[in-house]
């Protein structure tokens, strides 16, 4: 602390706007000029409709549990769902969280219904 010759300390400095010279806005104050008013933006066009998604996109492997039954863990909450025996691709809905997913054994997906079979 600085002491004046008379022994008393100087008054505390104020660093607020009142201590600045008139017209001084601080460092970079010249960047705070008032800007012209901005015209309101026109309303946004309506969003295009989202096409409906058909089928599940989450996949889970078909595994054998300790009882020997085929199960597929939910990709979200990891609870097991039973899969029918011999299924290669089977759509499931988790009882715990409601996630829809496909259990697969790793084979290629079946052809969609109504599709022509591959030429021989």
């Amino acid at each position: 602390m600085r002491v004046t010759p008379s022994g008393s300390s100087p008054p505390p400095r104020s660093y607020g706007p009142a201590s600045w010279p008139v017209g001084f806005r601080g460092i970079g104050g010249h960047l705070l000029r008032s800007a012209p008013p901005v015209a309101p933006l026109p309303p946004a066009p309506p969003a295009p409709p989202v096409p409906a998604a058909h089928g599940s996109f989450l996949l889970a492997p078909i595994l054998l549990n300790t009882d020997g039954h085929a199960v597929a863990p939910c990709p979200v909450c990891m609870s097991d769902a039973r899969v029918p025996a011999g299924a290669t691709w089977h759509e499931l809905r988790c009882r715990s969280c409601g996630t829809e997913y496909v259990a697969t054994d790793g084979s290629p997906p079946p052809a969609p219904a109504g599709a022509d079979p591959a030429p021989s």
Side-chain angles (χ1 to χ4, degrees):
M1 178 185 212
R2 198 172 67 181
V3 178
T4 59
S6 64
S8 64
S9 60
R13 286 189 161 178
S14 171
Y15 292 103
S19 66
W20 297 346
V22 176
F24 179 69
R25 294 185 185 175
I27 296 172
H30 65 286
L31 300 172
L32 300 175
R33 294 187 296 249
S34 61
V38 177
L41 295 174
V50 177
H54 298 288
S56 301
F57 298 101
L58 295 174
L59 299 177
I62 296 176
L63 307 170
L64 292 178
N65 67 1
T66 55
D67 301 337
H69 294 104
V71 294
C74 172
V76 176
C77 69
M78 301 306 290
S79 63
D80 286 339
R82 212 170 226 197
V83 180
T88 57
W89 280 71
H90 188 73
E91 290 190 23
L92 295 171
R93 181 179 180 94
C94 180
R95 288 180 153 180
S96 300
C97 65
T99 302
E100 293 181 356
Y101 61 102
V102 174
T104 177
D105 64 349
S107 63
D116 294 330
S120 56

